[in-house]
Amino acid sequence: MSIFKFKIPLHTQILIALIAGAAFGAFFNVGHDTLIINYNKKGELLEETIEKWDKIVFEGRENEKVFYADEQTAILKHFKKIEKKKDIVIEVHKAVEVNTYTEVITMAKEKTIATAIKPLGNIFIRLLSFLAIPLVIATLIVGAASLKDIRKLGRVGGKTFGIYIITTAIAISIGLGAANIIKPGEKVSVQAKERLMGTYQDDSPGDIDEEMGIDILDFLVQIVPKNPINAMADGRMLQIVFFAVFFGITLTLIDKSKSDPVIRLFDGISDVMIKMVDVIMLLAPYGVFALIAATVADFGFDILQTLVWYMGAVILGLALQTFIVYPALLKFVGKSGPIKYFKAMRNAQAIAFSSSSSAATLPVTLDAVENKLGIPKQIAGFVLPLGATINMDGTALYQGVAAVFIAQVYGMDLTMAEQLTIVLTAVLASIGTAPVPGVGIIMLVIILQSVNIPPEGIALILGVDRLLDMCRTVTNVTGDGAVAVTIAGTEKKYNSL
Ligand code: ASP
């Protein structure tokens, strides 16, 4: 028998790609003591790589500043901010040597092969992302039309919403608990605090002037799209869900001879989309490899040390939610086997981790829940798109830890009432959080404001946000699928729905 007949299963290939990508990225990592400078000298454009400096000094009126050896990120941010780059002089001090650069045009990190292959990963994520909207529309229309009866839809919808809210509330409580017990904020030194604030302050969404807040009535109004095509073009998930469900239900109210071809059309579209997921997933090992390699190569690992307790609290919380809360939900409420569930979800989890986007992962989640776990289309097609939109347990949990962490660094003690306010605000915020990378940290501003924690404290945690975003997205996606399976388990007669 030829060895070529032996085929490695896709989920194993993706796992290998994840590990190999991380190793590749670590090997070809971007030097954190290296900068590429482009500057003009006597009319000539020159490029120079500077390495292992002791000190970099910016001279020139209001832009004067001194940076030391391990402040690459801060240097690049400072340079970017300078409006009149021509007016500054940059001195690079290395032991006894000082080099001076004028008319500096760009300052950048070096590029390595690991960051250069990122476009391959981006293509993979874009392929998955473009499937999300048509897939949601088609599956929801068919799902709602086949439920046939508004009462059944109401029951499934109510249950789905209820379980989503409960799991999110549990998640954030775990987050608060972990942060209160571990007390990560008390383990950050004053110097570390100052440096983090100095480096990331300008990026924090905290200096948004207007007061952000959640207006529930406005939120409800916004669920109804003025123009469904606009909603689709802008990827407004809740509006799309509203339109598609309404459309699907109304299909059952018109003449069968007219509704049948429409349902068949959308059913066909949904099947094509799912097939496209299968084809695109053949690229998954390469896409995952490229994404992870680029992220690891570009990551400043030195910051991990400073924030290790904070990250530990978030990751411990996410692990509890993912490996204890969901299996319990599946077993005791959904009456289904957690092990089978986790096996089926492996691909979706790996894609969630590499893409940091529940929306991009949705097609893979749908594929796993429908095809691998055999959950009927009516349930999966309804519960999962809704979940990708409103259910963000990982995000809510992380926001709980982050709020307490920032409060601790600022020496604030949060009362029980304040922690409860965090629970409520985070549950609402997670409904409004878009399922794309990095949004959780923006919604965190609202939560911090609700209990008067200074929002600029976000600067403290920005450096590790990408890594935690990857982890919390895995929990978000695992939660969506677990609820879909649970709902199916409680709807005994779902096959005849
Ligand atoms: N990246 C997360 C998601 O798509 C959202 C977030 O927490 O930023 O699920």
Side-chain angles (χ1 to χ4, degrees), residues 132-341:
I133 307 278
L135 184 62
V136 167
I137 294 167
T139 51
L140 269 178
I141 289 178
V142 178
S146 51
L147 282 169
K148 289 202 180 66
D149 169 348
I150 188 93
R151 265 176 313 176
K152 278 181 197 157
L153 187 74
R155 192 183 61 225
V156 174
K159 245 196 271 186
T160 307
F161 202 73
I163 301 185
Y164 276 152
I165 299 285
I166 295 170
T167 51
T168 308
I170 295 176
I172 166 131
S173 310
I174 293 179
L176 291 174
N180 280 307
I181 295 169
I182 298 176
K183 296 197 188 339
E186 291 175 11
K187 299 183 171 91
V188 175
S189 67
V190 181
Q191 295 93 308
K193 175 187 166 186
E194 272 165 17
R195 288 189 58 174
L196 290 170
M197 293 298 288
T199 310
Y200 293 101
Q201 212 153 27
D202 304 325
D203 295 349
S204 84
D207 37 51
I208 298 171
D209 284 337
E210 80 235 58
E211 277 276 301
M212 288 169 77
I214 297 179
D215 179 344
I216 298 187
L217 267 182
D218 186 53
F219 179 74
L220 290 177
V221 172
Q222 297 292 334
I223 292 178
V224 184
K226 260 204 243 170
N227 175 343
I229 308 290
N230 269 351
M232 292 172 206
D234 296 342
R236 294 180 182 276
M237 285 291 205
L238 271 182
Q239 297 191 346
I240 296 170
V241 169
F242 180 87
F243 175 76
V245 171
F246 198 177
F247 187 98
I249 298 171
T250 318
L251 266 179
T252 62
L253 303 178
I254 63 169
D255 197 66
K256 218 171 164 339
S257 66
K258 289 191 179 148
S259 64
D260 271 355
V262 180
I263 297 178
R264 245 180 290 131
L265 171 73
F266 281 108
D267 204 17
I269 294 180
S270 144
D271 280 0
V272 176
M273 294 292 156
I274 298 260
K275 195 81 212 156
M276 282 168 92
V277 179
D278 284 348
V279 179
I280 294 168
M281 284 300 282
L282 296 176
L283 261 184
Y286 310 100
V288 166
F289 177 87
L291 286 170
I292 297 294
T295 310
V296 171
D298 200 28
F299 196 76
F301 282 95
D302 22 336
I303 196 170
L304 289 187
Q305 256 178 351
T306 321
L307 292 175
V308 69
W309 288 100
Y310 161 69
M311 293 185 63
V314 175
I315 291 170
L316 174 75
L318 292 175
L320 289 175
Q321 178 79 10
T322 310
F323 299 113
I324 306 237
V325 176
Y326 298 143
L329 178 76
L330 284 163
K331 197 161 171 55
F332 300 116
V333 187
K335 308 267 178 273
S336 37
I339 296 184
K340 186 175 166 214
Y341 173 73

Side-chain angles (χ1 to χ4, degrees), residues 125-136 237 273-278 280-281 348 351 357-371 384 388:
I125 295 304
R126 292 174 80 108
L127 283 169
L128 284 176
S129 305
F130 78 50
L131 288 184
I133 307 278
L135 184 62
V136 167
M237 285 291 205
M273 294 292 156
I274 298 260
K275 195 81 212 156
M276 282 168 92
V277 179
D278 284 348
I280 294 168
M281 284 300 282
I351 303 300
S357 164
S358 315
T361 314
L362 181 62
V364 190
T365 322
L366 260 165
D367 188 31
V369 171
E370 249 184 73
N371 298 340
L384 288 175

Side-chain angles (χ1 to χ4, degrees), residues 356-359 392 395 398 433-441 469 472-473 476:
S356 298
S357 164
S358 315
M392 306 250 169
T395 302
Y398 135 87
T433 305
V436 288
V439 188
I441 197 153
D469 195 2
R472 65 190 187 239
T473 308
N476 289 345

